[in-house]
Amino acid sequence: MDRSLQRLLLAGGLIVSLAMGVRHGFGFFMPPMTSAFGWSRESFAFALGMQNLVWGMAQPFAGALADRHGPGKVLLGGGLLYALGLLLMTVSATPTLFSLSAGVRHGFGFFMPP
């Protein structure tokens, strides 16, 4: 196998592993967050469901942006949106703000293809 292809596959796998590792760990945060803030499980689940929907709807646009501007810039933009979503999640005091940060902002941060 070509050395550059190996590096490309390794970099892609690392990016997806880092993104999905955080994403799939949200279930661990549900019990402490819902009890600490007095939220229902449904409000937490709604935010993560919204995240999945936004992620799916953003994929065609992310692909078009990657075709036009290059995948590196799209990955950088997605990474910044992802980090901003994580930061905003830490200061979300209401279920609505949590849905906007974890659901919408974080969903757009998943510009990486599934």
Side-chain angles (χ1 to χ4, degrees):
M1 187 182 300
D2 184 23
R3 193 113 168 109
S4 62
L5 180 60
Q6 287 178 342
R7 280 190 228 143
L8 178 67
L9 289 174
L10 183 64
L14 181 64
I15 289 168
V16 170
S17 295
L18 289 173
M20 292 303 181
V22 172
R23 184 172 182 269
H24 290 301
F26 285 140
F28 293 122
F29 302 117
M30 186 178 69
M33 284 185 74
T34 54
S35 65
F37 290 112
W39 299 345
S40 66
R41 291 179 305 174
E42 290 80 12
S43 60
F44 192 91
F46 176 78
L48 296 185
M50 183 181 290
Q51 181 186 97
N52 284 325
L53 290 172
V54 171
W55 177 40
M57 289 186 300
Q59 292 305 304
F61 300 105
L65 285 172
D67 287 344
R68 178 173 282 226
H69 301 290
K73 290 180 182 177
V74 173
L75 283 173
L76 178 64
L80 291 174
L81 287 173
Y82 187 84
L84 181 62
L86 285 175
L87 179 68
L88 291 174
M89 281 174 55
T90 64
V91 296
S92 297
T94 65
T96 303
L97 289 175
F98 186 72
S99 293
L100 290 174
S101 64
V104 177
R105 174 71 62 186
H106 212 156
F108 277 119
F110 289 121
F111 270 3
M112 290 74 81

